[in-house]
Amino acid sequence: MVAASLSPVHGDDIKSLALPIVDLSCHRGLVSELIVKACEEFGFFKVINHGVPAAVISQMETIALDFFSLPAAEKQRAGPPNPLGYGNKAIGQSGDSGEVEYLLLHANPSISQRGSTISRMNPTKFSCVVNEYVESMQELAGEILELLGEGLGLADSGVLSRLIRDSESDSLLRLNHYPPCYNNKEDISSDSSNDKDTVRSGRIGFGEHSDPQIITLLRSNGVGGLQILSPSSSDGAAWVPVPPDPTTFYIMVGDLLQAMTNGRLVSVRHRAMVNSYSSRLSMVYFGAPPLHEWISPLPEMITPQMPRCYRSFTWAEYKRAMYSLRLGHNRLDHFRQDTMEEYPWLVK
């Protein structure tokens, strides 16, 4: 396990790997097959021709940068995170930390947003931009989950998408800002978006973890930093840098989707490294079900060859476990069918 740390990382195996790309403008049947394959092998893919208006993305990035450019005292008025709100360095409540500042917002517009009450910003404009972006993310996430349901051969292909489209969905929007980390202040390169600068810094912005929700849609600026843990192979697992592309979205399988597919789809482990010379901004939508929703392996995913792996639990139970554990902990291990009696404190 690689926990979030302010210390440089040494000795990690880094390798390049061809990452899957899915073009949503292709034939629907082909797209469904490609999504399933990518989620089985990587738990990750890049989606192009996604249909999200460039203006919606640009406005969201602008207002996020406006927030992070505020004086520290102003940003802190939106914190401390509990768990929503502004945070700096500290990640969660279990001692993890990283070189990141962030703003965590609920995706449901009816939920009060502490981050939208910044006195130096226009709260109405802030809320409108965030809501428009969230609506686009929910629509894109829903479309991807429907395609996934079709590719998996589910009798009800909409069973996954309805969870995040529910009026009580517990989806979130996270804005992460990673300031640059200069190893040598006299050697500042003009090529600030190169992934080599990220490797050179060797410092973790957000440590190794998997996302607990159903699905993650991540968009970042043109600065590298995102790395995913490659599937195990003959030469062992390794960290794979994800080349930045601000025109696309990166899709990640979350823990709940792994549980609902009985382990067929993989919840990808990933981390964010700090770039040596440029700040990185990522905007992350976490598609989640309502808190009271029961999560169970789908009937089609349980076979004699693949017996049930996970017990049933609510999203509220899983969130409670998530906040009680360290960032890099494999939370799903505690909800496996064969270990359900070992950790009673997680389900009280």
Side-chain angles (χ1 to χ4, degrees):
M1 180 185 78
V2 180
S5 171
L6 293 178
S7 303
V9 174
H10 301 289
D12 279 355
D13 187 12
I14 306 291
K15 70 177 181 182
S16 55
L17 191 69
L19 298 173
I21 301 174
V22 175
D23 185 342
L24 290 186
S25 67
C26 291
H27 183 272
R28 189 174 183 88
L30 175 61
V31 172
S32 294
E33 292 179 12
L34 292 175
I35 289 177
V36 171
K37 183 178 180 181
C39 291
E40 288 177 332
E41 296 181 1
F42 292 87
F44 173 94
F45 60 93
K46 180 168 79 170
V47 64
I48 61 176
N49 291 321
H50 45 73
V52 180
V56 172
I57 299 172
S58 176
Q59 290 172 2
M60 186 67 243
E61 181 176 278
T62 297
I63 207 163
L65 289 173
D66 286 347
F67 172 78
F68 289 119
S69 66
L70 290 171
E74 282 293 316
K75 290 182 287 190
Q76 289 167 0
R77 294 184 63 177
N82 188 32
L84 302 180
Y86 173 76
N88 188 12
K89 302 287 187 180
I91 301 172
Q93 302 173 356
S94 299
D96 293 293
S97 62
E99 296 194 25
V100 61
E101 59 175 341
Y102 62 90
L103 185 63
L104 185 61
L105 304 170
H106 206 286
N108 190 329
S110 66
I111 303 296
S112 175
Q113 306 286 18
R114 299 175 67 184
S116 66
T117 61
I118 309 302
S119 62
R120 292 276 294 276
M121 298 180 69
N122 184 325
T124 301
K125 180 180 179 182
F126 185 93
S127 296
C128 287
V129 171
V130 168
N131 291 341
E132 186 174 19
Y133 186 79
V134 163
E135 287 175 4
S136 296
M137 292 302 95
Q138 185 185 60
E139 182 61 30
L140 178 57
E143 179 182 2
I144 290 170
L145 289 174
E146 286 182 3
L147 287 163
L148 183 59
E150 293 172 13
L152 290 171
L154 301 181
D156 179 2
S157 61
V159 65
L160 299 172
S161 63
R162 283 197 299 273
L163 293 175
I164 66 168
R165 287 174 169 158
D166 192 286
S167 61
E168 297 183 30
S169 165
D170 191 45
S171 301
L172 301 173
L173 177 66
R174 186 183 187 104
L175 308 176
N176 288 331
H177 177 238
Y178 303 92
C181 174
Y182 304 119
N183 277 349
N184 184 348
K185 293 184 179 180
E186 296 179 356
D187 181 26
I188 300 179
S189 165
S190 60
D191 183 13
S192 60
S193 65
N194 198 312
D195 269 336
K196 291 180 180 178
D197 294 333
T198 299
V199 174
R200 186 183 300 124
S201 89
R203 297 175 73 89
I204 294 181
F206 208 108
E208 177 189 342
H209 64 287
S210 61
D211 293 335
Q213 293 87 354
I214 297 174
I215 189 171
T216 299
L217 277 62
L218 183 151
R219 185 266 177 191
S220 65
N221 60 0
V223 178
L226 177 64
Q227 297 179 350
I228 67 169
L229 197 61
S230 72
S232 297
S233 61
S234 57
D235 58 350
W239 287 106
V240 180
V242 178
D245 185 349
T247 67
T248 66
F249 286 93
Y250 300 107
I251 312 302
M252 302 184 197
V253 171
D255 293 347
L256 296 191
L257 188 53
Q258 178 172 326
M260 293 184 73
T261 58
N262 203 37
R264 178 174 171 179
L265 306 187
V266 182
S267 179
V268 63
R269 301 189 71 79
H270 54 286
R271 67 184 184 183
M273 305 298 291
V274 178
N275 187 277
S276 294
Y277 306 125
S278 292
S279 63
R280 178 171 177 266
L281 175 72
S282 65
M283 308 184 302
V284 194
Y285 172 83
F286 301 105
L291 287 169
H292 57 74
E293 187 70 38
W294 281 93
I295 304 299
S296 301
L298 297 166
E300 295 93 336
M301 299 292 100
I302 302 174
T303 66
Q305 295 75 29
M306 182 57 72
R308 181 171 178 149
C309 295
Y310 303 101
R311 69 171 182 84
S312 297
F313 54 88
T314 66
W315 169 228
E317 283 181 72
Y318 200 77
K319 278 189 74 172
R320 187 160 58 247
M322 174 188 72
Y323 286 122
S324 70
L325 299 168
R326 295 295 297 269
L327 184 64
H329 205 104
N330 192 332
R331 297 169 291 257
L332 269 179
D333 281 352
H334 301 304
F335 290 84
R336 296 188 65 87
Q337 184 76 8
D338 55 357
T339 60
M340 60 185 295
E341 301 299 332
E342 297 182 21
Y343 304 94
W345 57 273
L346 286 170
V347 295
K348 288 183 178 177

